[in-house]
Amino acid sequence: MRAIYPGSFDPVTLGHLDIICRAAKICDSLTILVSENPAKNNRLPVDLRVKLIEELVSHLENVNISTWSGLTADYAKKNNFDLIIRGLRGASDFESELEMSQVNSALNGIQTVFLMTSPEYSFIRSSRVWELMEFGGDFTHFVPANVAERLRNF
Ligand code: ADP
C-alpha cells in the first residue's frame, strides 16, 4: 500500500515522528505531505518545515516528502495513493478527523487509516510548542533535537 501522511508539521513534533515511523513499518511507501496552504497562517516557512522533516527521515528508505497547497483528496487521486494516514490523540481530535475522513472518502473514495498516539506523546501538538516558546517554557521534550535547535534561534 502507498500512503500519504498529510499535515502542517508546523513544526514537526515527536508525536508526528512516532506516527511516521510506525506508518512506515506498515505501508510499502509513505509520503509525508506538507501543507503549503497560506490561509493556515503557518509560522515556519514550508521549505524549513520540509527540511526539518528531511533530516529526521533520511534513514527511512520508504519515506519521502512532498508539498501541496490543494485538497489532500486531489493529491491522492492525481498520484494514485491507496490511503491517508492520520494520527489521533484523543476525543478532541476525533470529530474533526471523522469529518475530514468522510469528506476525503466522498471526494474520491480514498480511505483514511488512523494510528493512535503513543501515550508518551498524547499531549503534544505543534501549537503547544509555540505557546511554550512564547512564555519561556521548556519545549525540548516535545520536539526532536534538530527542531529544538532551530526553534531556539527562531
Ligand atoms: P493539521 O494541520 O492537518 O491538523 P498537524 O501537523 O497538526 O496537521 O497534524 C498532522 C496529523 O498528525 C494529524 O492527523 C494529527 O492528529 C496528527 N498528530 C499530531 N500530533 C500528534 C501526536 N502527538 N500523536 C499522534 N498524532 C498526532
Side-chain angles (χ1 to χ4, degrees):
M1 289 280 201
R2 295 176 65 241
I4 36 175
Y5 178 33
S8 310
F9 305 102
D10 185 35
V12 62
T13 66
L14 289 172
H16 292 129
L17 187 58
D18 176 55
I19 297 288
I20 292 167
C21 293
R22 286 162 55 203
K25 284 190 191 146
I26 55 177
C27 301
D28 296 315
S29 79
L30 180 71
T31 296
I32 303 165
L33 190 63
V34 182
S35 145
E36 278 188 272
N37 190 348
K40 284 201 84 175
N41 290 324
N42 292 304
R43 301 223 193 176
L44 296 180
V46 68
D47 49 346
L48 179 55
R49 283 182 275 140
V50 168
K51 181 174 176 285
L52 292 169
I53 301 171
E54 252 164 16
E55 291 170 1
L56 296 164
V57 302
S58 56
H59 65 291
L60 298 172
E61 277 179 9
N62 63 339
V63 176
N64 56 75
I65 310 171
S66 222
T67 61
W68 181 244
S69 55
L71 295 173
T72 302
D74 287 343
Y75 183 90
K77 185 168 189 178
K78 194 165 157 242
N79 297 286
N80 290 316
F81 280 96
D82 303 303
L83 53 91
I84 295 171
I85 298 280
R86 294 285 286 179
L88 274 184
R89 280 162 294 208
S92 61
D93 282 342
F94 181 79
E95 269 187 48
S96 61
E97 291 290 345
L98 172 67
E99 260 184 46
M100 210 187 308
S101 70
Q102 289 171 337
V103 168
N104 287 327
S105 172
L107 287 174
N108 75 353
I110 190 153
Q111 297 299 308
T112 303
V113 169
F114 293 98
L115 295 183
M116 298 303 154
T117 185
S118 297
E120 62 270 40
Y121 304 130
S122 64
F123 54 90
I124 298 181
R125 61 182 69 241
S126 300
S127 57
R128 192 143 298 142
V129 174
W130 293 109
E131 263 167 39
L132 287 171
M133 263 183 79
E134 200 170 323
F135 296 105
D138 180 6
F139 57 86
T140 54
H141 303 299
F142 288 58
V143 292
N146 67 327
V147 177
E149 185 58 34
R150 189 64 188 77
L151 291 186
R152 258 187 230 112
N153 307 314
F154 193 70

